[in-house]
Every structure is written in structure tokens, then in C-alpha cells.
Amino acid sequence: QVQLVESGGGAVQAGGSLRLSCAASGRIVSVAVMAWYRQAPGKQRELVAAITDIGTTDYADSVKGRFSISRDNVKKTMYLQMNDLKAEDTGVYYCKTTVQTIGSWGDYWGQGTQVTVSS
């Protein structure tokens, strides 16, 4: 019914940059909050950044000043620009969206994209 496709992950050296994308498709009426989460090996999944449909943003303290979240409401796509990457940013990055389909709201997750930062 709703699909989220992430892209842009990869391997980079510390200090480098990556840009993640998350595109939503399906029988979507509207998209509310979009967010990026990450999960490092052996750790719980944590919120990295979120953005509302009007552009209000929120960031984890650990990424403030280095990461920037944005979205294109027409394309139903969210982005995460990650600069000055650190080894501790390594993990699987997941996008999550709150979506209105015909008759209901629901939360949907992407399949995840691996980010590996080497020091």
C-alpha cells in the first residue's frame, strides 16, 4: 500500500559526507512527519532527525550542526545530508513516515541503508 525506498548509503572515511534519500510511493493522500532513525550493531534504534510537513525540524544532539534534514513534498521524498561523519555514525539508517492513505493513518518504515564510517 505504501512503499519507502531509501538510497545513498555507503562507506566513507571520517570527515566525509553522504546524502541519504527516502522516497515514498503508493496510495498516499498526505505525508505528515518524516524521520530518520539509525541502529548501530548491538544498540537500540535511535532517532537521528525528523521533519514535519511544514518544515519544522528536530535533531539528536549527537548530529546537530553536522546533519541536515529536508524534504520535497511534491516528490514525497526526504533527504539527510550528513557532513563531518564520525565512526560513531556507523549503522543502518531507516526512514519512517506517518502517512495518510484512503481512510487511515499509519507509520511505515523503509528497508534500511548501511552507512559505514571508518576512522
Side-chain angles (χ1 to χ4, degrees), residues 1 27-30 99-105:
Q1 195 172 18
R27 308 179 85 174
I28 297 171
V29 174
S30 66
V99 171
Q100 182 186 18
T101 57
I102 296 174
S104 67
W105 284 90

Side-chain angles (χ1 to χ4, degrees), residues 4-119:
L4 299 178
V5 178
E6 299 142 339
S7 61
V12 66
Q13 290 190 330
S17 298
L18 285 172
R19 188 187 193 217
L20 306 183
S21 299
C22 172
S25 63
R27 308 179 85 174
I28 297 171
V29 174
S30 66
V31 180
V33 176
M34 304 183 81
W36 289 100
Y37 287 74
R38 69 185 178 193
Q39 188 165 19
K43 295 188 177 181
Q44 289 187 331
R45 193 172 296 188
E46 63 175 354
L47 176 67
V48 176
I51 184 167
T52 69
D53 55 349
I54 60 171
T56 303
T57 59
D58 190 29
Y59 296 92
D61 288 342
S62 60
V63 307
K64 284 180 180 176
R66 300 188 297 121
F67 290 11
S68 178
I69 190 171
S70 61
R71 62 190 281 174
D72 183 326
N73 289 332
V74 174
K75 295 181 179 179
K76 299 183 181 65
T77 300
M78 170 178 63
Y79 307 95
L80 185 68
Q81 178 66 42
M82 304 186 293
N83 298 326
D84 190 24
L85 282 160
K86 304 177 179 181
E88 51 262 42
D89 294 318
T90 294
V92 179
Y93 283 68
Y94 299 90
C95 66
K96 177 188 175 185
T97 66
T98 301
V99 171
Q100 182 186 18
T101 57
I102 296 174
S104 67
W105 284 90
D107 289 336
Y108 296 86
W109 291 86
Q111 80 285 356
T113 185
Q114 177 71 43
V115 171
T116 302
V117 184
S118 58
S119 57

